[in-house]
Amino acid sequence: MIDTTNAFESPNDSLRKVLKTKGSFPSEAAVFKLLYLALEKIDDKWTMPLANWKVVLARFAIEHPECFTD
């Protein structure tokens, strides 16, 4: 039902680009902070709704009912 991988590839490419431009990090916490801030920026940029999302969500609910609560 999801006909494109852009929704997955675009954030991964953006995160890879953020990490690639930095040489090294003083700690693991610094890496997580940088990734968190990058994801916040990516989230603001991604405004296009996913096509056929209601159909996809219905299918997920059928295959994984334990993930959906009333």
Side-chain angles (χ1 to χ4, degrees):
M1 295 309 294
I2 299 175
D3 59 349
T4 181
T5 58
N6 286 346
F8 304 109
E9 291 175 4
S10 180
N12 286 340
D13 288 342
S14 297
L15 292 176
R16 194 175 303 113
K17 184 177 180 182
V18 166
L19 291 176
K20 193 175 184 180
T21 59
K22 307 295 179 201
S24 61
F25 297 94
S27 67
E28 188 175 296
V31 176
F32 287 123
K33 185 174 183 178
L34 182 67
L35 290 175
Y36 172 78
L37 293 173
L39 284 171
E40 287 292 314
K41 189 179 247 185
I42 291 167
D43 185 49
D44 290 342
K45 209 169 71 173
W46 192 266
T47 58
M48 186 175 65
L50 294 174
N52 302 321
W53 179 244
K54 288 185 179 185
V55 175
V56 172
L57 190 59
R59 182 64 183 196
F60 285 156
I62 291 169
E63 292 187 16
H64 302 286
E66 69 278 1
C67 296
F68 293 85
T69 60
D70 292 336

